[in-house]
Amino acid sequence: MAVGLTLIFGVMRVVNFAHGDMMVWGMYLAFVFATRLGVDPYLSFPVCAAALFLLGVVVQRGLVDPIIAAPHEMQILLMLGVALVLENTALLVFGPEPARVRSPLARLTWDVGPLYVDVARLVTFAVAVVLTLALSLFLFRTDLGRLIRASADNHYGALVIGADVRRIYATAFGIGAACVGAAGALVSPILPFQPPTGLSLSVTSFNIVIIGGMGSLVGAFIGGLLVSVAESLGAVFLRPSLKELFSFSLLIIILLFRPAGLFGKRQS
Amino acid sequence: MKWATGLAVAVLLALPAVLSGYAVTIFVLIFFYAFLAQAWNIVGGYAGQLSAGHAAFVGIGGYTAALLFERGVTPWIGMFVGGALAAVLGAIVGYLGFRFGLRGFYFVLLTVAFAEICRILATNIDAVGGAVGLYITFTGNPRQFQFQDQRAYYYIALVLMLLATGVAALIERRRFGIYLTAIREDETACEALGVDVLRYKLLAMIVSSFLAGLGGTFYAFQNFSLQPGAVFGIPLSVEIVIRPIIGGAGTLLGPILGSFILTPLGELSRSYFGQSGLHGAHLIVYGVLLVTVVLFMPQGAYPFLKQLFKRA
């Protein structure tokens, strides 16, 4: 499951401390749709993604844009502030109790020989793969996608060729937020969640992105695999509560010896 | 300036005589967080190395003193042992981070990772209380850092805050402080001029983590309990970072101002909204303040106010 989740995670490259909290908002939106309107999260996830897209654009336009030239630290602090607001607004609105969305799909299983496969997880995984493929097609095959990559690569250069970098950043941020929104909605039937979940999701996603390499799709995929395998093995051989120890140790080692990540390009 | 400082200290010394019990408790928290914020300020403010794992040092300090206390060592000694151990951890994190040239976001992640590892270890090692944490038996004996009267904690916290501020002032005036500021502004240029960047950053980190470690003992013996999530967790680190940033990082009074703004705000909204079941309202306020400060006065509140007064 983590793989499907992290596939989406890795695509975002903005240093975004509110990442996990945005995802939790995606989960709660799905929760509201399911409990109030009776819409299954597997159907409502595009709506959640659209809502998060808007949130992302607003955050980027209103908050990040004015200080885009400021030092990196300021952006980190800014996003930390946004994260605090998002997380605790969720706490105010939905309360501290863990929530879970019920979906009829989540109770189905398929027998494949000796294995039981959870249909819900399978669907989540499939949608995640499709979304990631669509995203990479978008990034590498369309003009807007190329512009996004160009602006990320060389801000000034993109300006020179006449790109509207501000709009492009807003779009990129929105798409990233939409991805986590969709991911949130998709895992909401599988994973019980509560507002503080956002923080640990942010931390996990940073782990994965750093280990895999910033801005590398393959890296994100492998990073997600590595982290989830390390954590699962840790949980099997030692105590389950110790599993995070492995991903953090891995993170430190990667940070020290290969700060660009396993698949990232080395920056001078 | 000297007069103002003396007057302020005198007022703070006399205050407990007129304050209610609840107000004294709030002041204890203001001083304590101002102390931690000042400790962070040395490495995070002056040297500009954004550490988001200072909770780890507080935790190490507190756990050390509490465990030693269980074995009959008074926290007055345990405090310094805890500080020393925290400084050792600070040296390790600092050395790794600075030696391998991790800057900005990467250094933030490194410090978070170390703090999280500490938290996970403390949660899983039963000898240090595991997930339940440590509880300190109340004796009320001042020799064991325990007091019946909150006012005693008031004065200790005040002394701690003044101590950290004194250390910061001392650093600020010496060449050491100038080096740190220079490193923050332009590390490469600094290095080119022959400043031993690694050494000074490391020194700042050690001083800072030692002080934070001392704070751990205070935390443990004021609350009489230590939970891994509370002392090692990211939320405490955020509490420590946010005060100097809002007050003004890299200034002497910034962390104190930040604590005087945020701590009462946090405590009051916690008790008001908490009673009506609205948790987390104070963190929303923190978040909004943080965003506002970053957008409109990136230097922090203290330099902003100073400029305002100059213009007037």
Side-chain angles (χ1 to χ4, degrees):
Chain A
M1 183 209 87
V3 177
L5 186 74
T6 54
L7 262 174
I8 294 176
F9 264 150
V11 180
M12 275 268 288
R13 348 178 165 170
V14 191
V15 179
N16 182 357
F17 253 97
H19 204 83
D21 296 300
M22 287 184 167
M23 179 150 167
V24 169
W25 270 95
M27 290 169 157
Y28 272 111
L29 278 177
F31 175 74
V32 168
F33 274 120
T35 48
R36 293 283 153 81
L37 304 170
V39 183
D40 195 280
Y42 293 106
L43 297 173
S44 67
F45 80 87
V47 187
C48 300
L52 265 287
F53 179 84
L54 279 181
L55 178 69
V57 171
V58 168
V59 167
Q60 160 72 23
R61 263 290 156 93
L63 302 175
V64 183
D65 213 41
I67 61 155
I68 198 88
H72 235 54
E73 279 85 354
M74 295 318 275
Q75 294 171 25
I76 298 174
L77 292 169
L78 180 81
M79 292 320 291
L80 183 68
V82 174
L84 282 173
V85 172
L86 283 180
E87 175 179 334
N88 293 289
T89 316
L91 196 60
L92 273 183
V93 178
F94 301 106
E97 296 81 21
R100 188 173 192 151
V101 182
R102 278 174 215 291
S103 160
L105 260 177
R107 266 173 276 144
L108 288 177
T109 49
W110 281 342
D111 301 331
V112 187
L115 295 169
Y116 286 106
V117 179
D118 223 331
V119 175
R121 276 157 212 248
L122 204 64
V123 172
T124 306
F125 181 74
V127 177
V129 170
V130 169
L131 279 180
T132 313
L133 281 178
L135 195 62
S136 44
L137 275 180
F138 165 73
L139 282 175
F140 287 92
R141 287 277 178 271
T142 65
D143 282 348
L144 186 58
R146 285 196 188 100
L147 278 174
I148 288 178
R149 287 189 301 127
S151 323
D153 208 34
N154 190 340
H155 181 112
Y156 188 68
L159 273 177
V160 166
I161 60 159
D164 186 353
V165 176
R166 281 188 59 212
R167 224 189 84 213
I168 290 164
Y169 276 150
T171 321
F173 209 97
I175 291 174
C179 282
V180 285
L186 285 171
V187 296
S188 64
I190 306 172
L191 204 71
F193 51 93
Q194 58 201 87
T197 313
L199 183 66
S200 59
L201 284 174
S202 292
V203 172
T204 315
S205 66
F206 280 133
N207 268 357
I208 289 165
V209 173
I210 293 289
I211 290 172
M214 282 251 190
S216 154
L217 274 175
V218 188
F221 187 79
I222 307 278
L225 264 177
L226 265 177
V227 168
S228 49
V229 169
E231 290 199 348
S232 314
L233 285 180
V236 171
F237 288 111
L238 290 158
R239 280 199 252 175
S241 50
L242 268 173
K243 65 177 183 165
E244 282 176 298
L245 194 64
F246 290 88
S247 44
F248 281 117
S249 313
L250 197 61
L251 173 69
I252 291 178
I253 294 168
I254 298 269
L255 269 176
L256 293 180
F257 295 107
R258 191 110 174 81
L262 289 175
F263 294 87
K265 275 174 237 139
R266 194 173 275 274
Q267 284 172 337
S268 55
Chain B
M1 193 66 198
K2 253 184 196 161
W3 281 100
T5 318
L7 189 70
V9 171
V11 168
L12 290 178
L13 281 174
L15 258 184
V18 291
L19 287 178
S20 71
Y22 181 55
V24 168
T25 317
I26 289 195
F27 268 95
V28 171
L29 290 173
I30 294 179
F31 296 154
F32 178 60
Y33 280 118
F35 162 68
L36 291 180
Q38 192 69 270
W40 181 89
N41 193 29
I42 293 172
V43 70
Y46 288 107
Q49 307 298 314
L50 210 63
S51 156
H54 257 56
F57 307 131
V58 179
I60 296 266
Y63 266 83
T64 310
L67 287 170
L68 283 175
F69 172 67
E70 280 181 358
R71 283 157 190 74
V73 181
T74 164
W76 290 107
I77 296 173
M79 191 171 190
F80 292 95
V81 181
L85 283 181
V88 169
L89 179 70
I92 295 172
V93 177
Y95 182 77
L96 288 176
F98 302 143
R99 176 69 190 76
F100 287 86
L102 298 183
R103 290 183 192 178
F105 179 58
Y106 291 96
F107 186 67
V108 171
L109 271 185
L110 183 77
T111 51
V112 170
F114 266 103
E116 283 292 276
I117 285 181
C118 286
R119 179 181 64 80
I120 295 163
L121 286 178
T123 317
N124 283 282
I125 298 174
D126 290 327
V128 298
V132 188
L134 291 174
Y135 288 88
I136 291 156
T137 32
F138 182 71
T139 59
N141 185 348
R143 285 188 175 183
Q144 292 167 342
F145 211 101
Q146 301 192 3
F147 307 94
Q148 307 272 10
D149 196 340
Q150 275 294 320
R151 274 176 291 186
Y153 290 109
Y154 176 98
Y155 286 113
I156 296 175
L158 181 60
V159 167
L160 282 176
M161 179 181 87
L162 293 177
L163 169 80
T165 310
V167 171
L170 210 66
I171 290 176
E172 196 182 69
R173 278 193 206 157
R174 286 172 189 261
R175 189 174 293 179
F176 183 27
I178 296 168
Y179 282 156
L180 290 184
T181 320
I183 289 170
R184 178 187 67 206
E185 295 303 327
D186 193 337
E187 195 171 327
T188 319
C190 223
E191 222 166 356
L193 288 171
V195 176
D196 191 344
V197 170
L198 175 69
R199 190 173 140 214
Y200 288 107
K201 284 203 288 190
L202 204 53
L203 256 176
M205 189 73 176
I206 290 172
V207 173
S208 174
S209 49
F210 176 77
L211 288 173
L214 293 185
T217 304
F218 183 85
Y219 181 96
F221 286 85
Q222 200 226 344
N223 291 297
F224 297 103
S225 69
L226 282 171
Q227 274 88 39
V231 285
F232 285 114
I234 298 176
L236 179 62
S237 293
V238 171
E239 294 265 356
I240 299 175
V241 174
I242 197 170
R243 282 175 173 73
I245 295 291
I246 285 185
T251 62
L252 207 50
L253 291 178
I256 299 176
L257 180 65
S259 189
F260 267 89
I261 298 172
L262 285 179
T263 315
L265 209 67
E267 278 312 304
L268 292 178
S269 64
R270 202 181 312 216
S271 58
Y272 275 116
F273 294 116
Q275 273 166 0
S276 40
L278 299 171
H279 302 284
H282 73 285
L283 288 170
I284 297 184
V285 178
Y286 282 12
V288 172
L289 266 179
L290 189 58
V291 170
T292 318
V293 164
V294 168
L295 286 182
F296 300 109
M297 38 180 167
Q299 301 288 315
Y302 175 67
F304 180 77
L305 289 177
K306 215 161 106 182
Q307 250 184 357
L308 215 64
F309 276 111
K310 256 187 200 156
R311 226 179 283 155

